[in-house]
Amino acid sequence: MTIIREVHKWIGLLLGLQLLLWMFSGLGMAILPHAKVAGDHHRVDSEPGLLLAEVTEQIAAPLSGSASDVRRVELRLFSDRAVFQVDTGGGAYLLDAASGSPIAIDESGARQIAARDYSGDAGISTVRYLEHPTLEIRDHAGPAWQVNFSDPERTSLYVSAETGDILERRNNYWRTFDTLWMLHIMDYSNRSNFNNPLVILSALILFWLGLSGLVLWWDSFHREDFRAIVSRLTGKKPVLLSVASPSGDLLKTVRTPGHQTLYAALEAEGYALPSSCGGGGSCGLCKIKTSPDSPATAADRRQIPEADLDRGVRLACQHRLSSDVSVTLPDGLLDARRLDGEVVSSRRLTPDMFEIRIALPATLGFRSGSYIEVEIPPYSTDLDQINLPDSVKSLWRTSGTGERIQSARPLVRTYSLANAPGETGSEVTLIVRLVLAGPEHAGAPVGLGSAYMTSRRPGDTLSLRGPLGDFHVGEHEEERVFIGGGAGIAPLRSMIRDQLLNKGSTSRMWLWYGARTPEALAYREEFEQLATDFDNFSWQAALSHLEPHQEWEGHKGWIHEIFRDNFLATHPDPGRCSFYVCGPPPMLEAVLNLLRGAGIREEKIAFDDFGI
């Protein structure tokens, strides 16, 4: 289903652009004045001919000299004199009706013919002989004269070099119409084939989009959506909402309006669940526990492990109140509070990753692995206000991303606490990676939250809320394995330091950390020192984008592959280990698939997905 959703999304985007072209090109063709497109507004009405009659094959032979090739002979008026137009299999030519001598359409003649046909005030600017038809006279054969006039519309009359007829009248109105027609029928070469392969392919894609849309519609909607509609139509009364603490104690039972989401209902009662997507079901932060019988939505299945779904864990933003319901709040929510912080320091750990230390009014009590919410107000900043090395600034500029960053509306972003509980007094440490487009995503916008955070200076104030989250280390575990990448090192660092320095854990602990280059390894010296000071701790790093000139004696490749080959494949019993995973979505997905494929039970795996 995920593959269908992704393909549907991107193909829909591409085809949507073509739909816009169809719409605007059709609108443009409808708006353009047809008489001007045809060139009739500068056309002189011609006098009727002296005689328009077909001549029999008996008189065709003397005129043409070759009756076998003559298709048709017509007596007509040309430049105030009678002529015979002789049509043959190889083209046409004119003969003087009185003398029988051939009449040639030279440049002078073409000028005279065009000038008589043109009623505008402009004069002839240029004349050009065309041996073969161009796009503007693509429906005609044979040579022609292109006579251009110097009017604002850039009128061009095409005179047949064989018969002296006006083949076409072209101007900028027609050229605009022709471009719109090309976009409309998707024939980018000849502009005439309405049944060209691109149109047929687009129709087939539209058909597939319709079918996949029906599949996704069935996957995205559930009974509660339709119940909410019925409830609105029938005016259903408020429902009973019971709220319990993580320990099971009943906190509140209230009557609340139906139809609204659990997220909105809980927020109205003073229980503001974390969220960074505004209720769109994409961040997975607003988890609550309700009845396991509550139908799981597609968003639930994407964000919540199967074992938690079986226990009744759901996304509050995806479920509407249609009947009486009891919910259990997530761990840590009741302890979360609003905090005013002040930036103490901001330093670069790697070329694009920053360590930001924030002073709070008092020491924050939290469990390692927790995160806090940061309120991002409307702001404006630029590239020069962020402490970046020249290499990153150069990448920024060459990627096509604008150097000015701004947000007109407030945002909420979540960041894991990177320090162990209590080790820095009233200060907390956050790790923020500047989200910047790489060469493969040229022109993509910079991350609004990370740009705001990395442009903060000592003395700046921040509005925070926390601690939050349920990504914590279990007690009395025999062996713990931490796997991370990029800024995912933040909660893992907090966990490792808490276990070694605060709790004095003697359990065997491993850290497997992936980065692109040696410069991107955060806290390298710190982890090396911890491995020296504590016999039960080991750490391994893997680099995935090592440059030829960079020296590195460690593992090379993707961290999940290095972990697979050097731990899972050699460990005598990985099933007894507990695994803690945090990192970029592709890395996280790869590691989770690897662990599940190796038969590791869900309760042995804990992960934090950054709320992405």
Side-chain angles (χ1 to χ4, degrees):
M1 193 64 65
T2 301
I3 295 176
I4 293 178
R5 190 179 302 276
E6 286 297 310
V7 174
H8 182 91
K9 176 177 68 176
W10 290 108
I11 289 183
L13 175 62
L14 293 175
L15 200 60
L17 297 176
Q18 181 58 47
L19 286 171
L20 286 176
L21 287 177
W22 283 336
M23 181 179 68
F24 285 116
S25 60
L27 177 63
M29 288 189 292
I31 291 175
L32 287 171
H34 181 72
K36 292 186 177 181
V37 169
D40 291 339
H41 61 304
H42 285 324
R43 178 180 182 179
V44 175
D45 293 332
S46 58
E47 296 292 332
L50 293 177
L51 177 63
L52 296 177
E54 291 187 0
V55 182
T56 62
E57 192 170 308
Q58 285 77 10
I59 67 169
L63 292 173
S64 66
S66 177
S68 61
D69 196 34
V70 173
R71 306 284 180 85
R72 186 168 180 268
V73 178
E74 182 181 1
L75 181 63
R76 48 172 286 203
L77 185 67
F78 174 72
S79 296
D80 298 327
R81 57 175 169 168
V83 298
F84 286 112
Q85 177 177 323
V86 183
D87 296 327
T88 70
Y93 56 90
L94 298 180
L95 297 175
D96 186 281
S99 64
S101 60
I103 299 175
I105 309 299
D106 55 11
E107 179 178 340
S108 176
R111 284 176 174 269
Q112 293 177 15
I113 294 169
R116 283 197 301 268
D117 186 86
Y118 180 77
S119 65
D121 298 328
I124 295 174
S125 58
T126 59
V127 178
R128 186 162 66 104
Y129 181 74
L130 304 175
E131 184 70 31
H132 302 287
T134 63
L135 274 176
E136 294 201 349
I137 52 171
R138 53 182 174 266
D139 295 330
H140 301 276
W145 291 96
Q146 179 184 355
V147 183
N148 301 313
F149 290 82
S150 57
D151 56 15
E153 301 168 15
R154 294 180 55 214
T155 299
S156 297
L157 297 187
Y158 289 89
V159 180
S160 171
E162 295 177 334
T163 66
D165 293 331
I166 302 294
L167 300 178
E168 298 291 353
R169 299 169 179 84
R170 303 305 190 200
N171 52 45
N172 284 345
Y173 288 104
W174 180 89
R175 296 180 185 103
T176 302
F177 184 94
D178 192 51
T179 301
L180 295 173
W181 174 252
M182 172 191 70
L183 297 174
H184 201 72
I185 68 171
M186 300 179 70
D187 184 359
Y188 302 109
S189 55
N190 297 321
R191 308 186 183 188
S192 58
N193 183 9
F194 192 82
N195 296 319
N196 71 84
L198 283 177
V199 170
I200 296 173
L201 178 62
S202 298
L204 292 175
I205 294 175
L206 276 173
F207 178 72
W208 182 88
L209 280 175
L211 292 179
S212 61
L214 288 175
V215 174
L216 295 175
W217 174 85
W218 182 263
D219 180 65
S220 299
F221 284 88
H222 50 91
R223 285 177 293 177
E224 289 187 9
D225 294 312
F226 298 100
R227 286 173 181 168
I229 295 174
V230 174
S231 297
R232 287 189 179 93
L233 295 176
T234 58
K236 189 172 182 178
K237 296 179 179 180
V239 300
L240 191 67
L241 172 64
S242 300
V243 184
S245 69
S247 61
D249 298 330
L250 183 64
L251 300 174
K252 183 182 289 188
T253 299
V254 295
R255 287 281 177 184
T256 186
H259 324 311
Q260 62 181 327
T261 64
L262 276 170
Y263 180 91
L266 290 169
E267 185 175 40
E269 297 301 325
Y271 305 111
L273 295 169
S275 175
S276 61
C277 70
S282 61
C283 73
L285 296 177
C286 62
K287 296 174 185 175
I288 48 90
K289 185 178 179 182
T290 185
S291 170
D293 295 334
S294 175
T297 67
D300 290 330
R301 291 190 289 271
R302 287 194 299 271
Q303 301 290 342
I304 302 173
E306 192 68 32
D308 289 340
L309 288 174
D310 294 339
R311 294 191 300 110
V313 178
R314 301 289 186 268
L315 298 180
C317 69
Q318 296 298 296
H319 292 266
R320 296 186 176 276
L321 291 168
S322 57
S323 60
D324 296 347
V325 65
S326 298
V327 300
T328 300
L329 298 177
D331 184 43
L333 181 68
L334 296 176
D335 297 326
R337 57 187 186 275
R338 296 198 175 277
L339 306 163
D340 292 324
E342 180 179 311
V343 176
V344 175
S345 66
S346 177
R347 71 181 182 99
R348 274 194 295 108
L349 293 174
T350 71
D352 61 355
M353 202 153 61
F354 291 71
E355 179 193 78
I356 301 175
R357 299 183 65 180
I358 303 168
L360 303 178
T363 300
L364 180 67
F366 67 94
R367 293 179 62 184
S368 61
S370 299
Y371 65 86
I372 61 173
E373 289 184 335
V374 180
E375 295 180 4
I376 310 294
Y379 77 97
S380 178
T381 188
D382 56 51
L383 174 61
D384 293 333
Q385 292 181 281
I386 303 176
N387 177 26
L388 294 172
D390 291 339
S391 59
V392 177
K393 287 186 177 182
S394 175
L395 174 63
W396 187 322
R397 292 188 173 102
T398 57
S399 71
T401 302
E403 296 187 21
R404 190 71 180 170
I405 314 107
Q406 57 187 3
S407 174
R409 59 185 179 88
L411 308 168
V412 174
R413 293 293 183 265
T414 59
Y415 297 99
S416 295
L417 296 163
N419 58 293
E423 74 168 332
T424 54
S426 64
E427 294 181 5
V428 293
T429 302
L430 307 182
I431 295 177
V432 179
R433 178 182 175 271
L434 180 65
V435 180
L436 180 64
E440 68 277 14
H441 300 293
V446 67
L448 294 177
S450 61
Y452 175 81
M453 293 296 291
T454 55
S455 62
R456 298 305 91 193
R457 296 290 180 265
D460 289 346
T461 59
L462 296 172
S463 295
L464 315 171
R465 178 171 171 262
L468 297 160
D470 55 3
F471 182 49
H472 304 306
V473 176
E475 300 294 333
H476 312 298
E477 294 175 335
E478 186 174 348
E479 188 169 358
R480 301 183 177 102
V481 183
F482 303 91
I483 310 169
I489 197 61
L492 305 185
R493 177 180 184 261
S494 176
M495 292 173 170
I496 292 170
R497 292 184 67 84
D498 185 43
Q499 291 296 314
L500 294 176
L501 301 177
N502 291 347
K503 298 184 176 180
S505 173
T506 58
S507 297
R508 187 77 177 95
M509 287 189 288
W510 300 83
L511 171 61
W512 295 82
Y513 184 36
R516 296 173 67 89
T517 62
E519 294 80 9
L521 281 174
Y523 298 112
R524 178 179 178 180
E525 294 79 7
E526 178 182 308
F527 290 126
E528 289 176 347
Q529 187 62 49
L530 288 174
T532 300
D533 296 341
F534 297 91
D535 294 336
N536 60 321
F537 173 70
S538 300
W539 90 294
Q540 298 288 333
L543 303 182
S544 59
H545 290 70
L546 196 65
E547 298 291 340
H549 66 276
Q550 293 175 318
E551 295 184 2
W552 175 252
E553 297 180 357
H555 299 294
K556 302 174 184 178
W558 300 107
I559 187 62
H560 68 282
E561 296 175 345
I562 301 302
F563 170 72
R564 177 197 62 199
D565 298 338
N566 295 273
F567 185 88
L568 281 182
T570 60
H571 197 285
D573 187 11
R576 64 180 173 84
C577 301
S578 296
F579 299 88
Y580 300 89
V581 191
C582 187
M587 186 226 82
L588 180 65
E589 182 180 7
V591 172
L592 294 179
N593 289 336
L594 183 65
L595 294 175
R596 290 160 181 161
I600 307 299
R601 301 192 308 275
E602 287 287 345
E603 61 267 24
K604 287 286 189 177
I605 305 172
F607 63 90
D608 191 345
D609 60 2
F610 294 159
I612 297 177

